[in-house]
């Protein structure tokens, strides 16, 4: 058993190392700044609760994604049943400061936010350059299903961008 002080230090180091991942997952699911803060807090609580029992059977980043995605989905199941849209302008700017790049990122996020929650999760993992096997592990899907869903999602995003 990890001493409490060691556990807190290791947890703090993990949050420092993976804070952007946690924020990104919450960002994709939040509908406004309050949601973002609630989702981030809920994710951090669930990460803390599960931290001591993380066995290392998967990569730490895979476990963090899974906990954060499950936290976000569970949050909306419990608290808000019929929300579909996200106003990206109401969320904190988590994008790089370069204005041209930031504008392209806002456009991309706006397109992604038109997707369903599970489609958003797949794209989020893919954009973070996770392998199909890693995505399959996080999402609990067969690898071939991940590949075919990502292909369809990419086609959908192209269609949205041409509208």
């Amino acid at each position: 058993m990890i001493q409490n002080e060691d556990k807190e230090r290791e947890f703090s180091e993990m949050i420092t190392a993976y804070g952007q991942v946690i924020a990104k997952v919450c960002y994709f699911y939040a509908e406004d700044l309050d949601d973002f803060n609630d989702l981030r807090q809920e994710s951090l609580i669930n990460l803390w609760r599960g931290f001591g029992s993380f066995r290392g059977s998967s990569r730490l980043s895979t476990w963090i994604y899974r906990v954060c995605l499950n936290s976000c989905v569970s949050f909306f199941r419990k608290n808000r049943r019929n929300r579909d849209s996200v106003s990206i302008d109401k969320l904190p700017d988590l994008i790089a400061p370069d204005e041209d790049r930031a504008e392209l990122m806002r456009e991309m996020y706006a397109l992604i936010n038109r997707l369903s929650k599970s489609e958003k999760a797949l794209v989020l993992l893919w954009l973070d350059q996770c392998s199909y096997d890693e995505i399959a592990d996080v999402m609990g899907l067969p690898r071939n299903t991940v590949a075919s869903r990502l292909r369809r999602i990419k086609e959908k995003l192209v269609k949205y961008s041409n509208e």
Side-chain angles (χ1 to χ4, degrees), residues 29-46:
Y29 282 88
E31 295 189 17
D32 56 33
L33 184 56
D34 289 335
D35 278 352
F36 175 80
N37 290 328
D38 289 345
L39 291 171
R40 187 171 180 281
Q41 181 177 351
E42 190 75 20
S43 295
L44 291 172
I45 289 168
N46 290 331

Side-chain angles (χ1 to χ4, degrees), residues 22 24-26 28-29 39 43 62-76 117-118 120-122 124-125 135 138-139:
I22 297 164
K24 190 183 311 180
V25 172
C26 297
F28 269 101
Y29 282 88
L39 291 171
S43 295
T62 301
W63 177 76
I64 290 170
Y65 267 113
R66 181 172 281 180
V67 170
C68 291
L69 288 169
N70 288 338
S71 297
C72 291
V73 170
S74 295
F75 177 83
F76 282 107
K117 290 184 184 346
S118 63
K120 284 182 195 180
L122 282 167
L124 175 67
L125 292 165
I135 296 170
V138 170
M139 299 294 295

Side-chain angles (χ1 to χ4, degrees), residues 4 7-8 11 43-52 63:
N4 210 22
K7 180 180 177 183
E8 289 175 13
F11 183 78
S43 295
L44 291 172
I45 289 168
N46 290 331
L47 285 165
W48 174 254
R49 286 179 180 156
F51 185 66
W63 177 76

Side-chain angles (χ1 to χ4, degrees), residues 2 5 10 13 20-21 31 34-35 39 65-66 75 79-80 84 93-94 112 116 119 122 128 135-137 152:
I2 299 173
E5 192 173 293
E10 288 180 21
E13 289 171 2
Q20 285 295 93
V21 169
E31 295 189 17
D34 289 335
D35 278 352
L39 291 171
Y65 267 113
R66 181 172 281 180
F75 177 83
N79 299 307
R80 298 175 182 98
D84 292 324
D93 190 9
L94 300 175
I112 291 170
S116 72
E119 290 171 330
L122 282 167
D128 271 347
I135 296 170
D137 187 33
R152 286 194 298 264

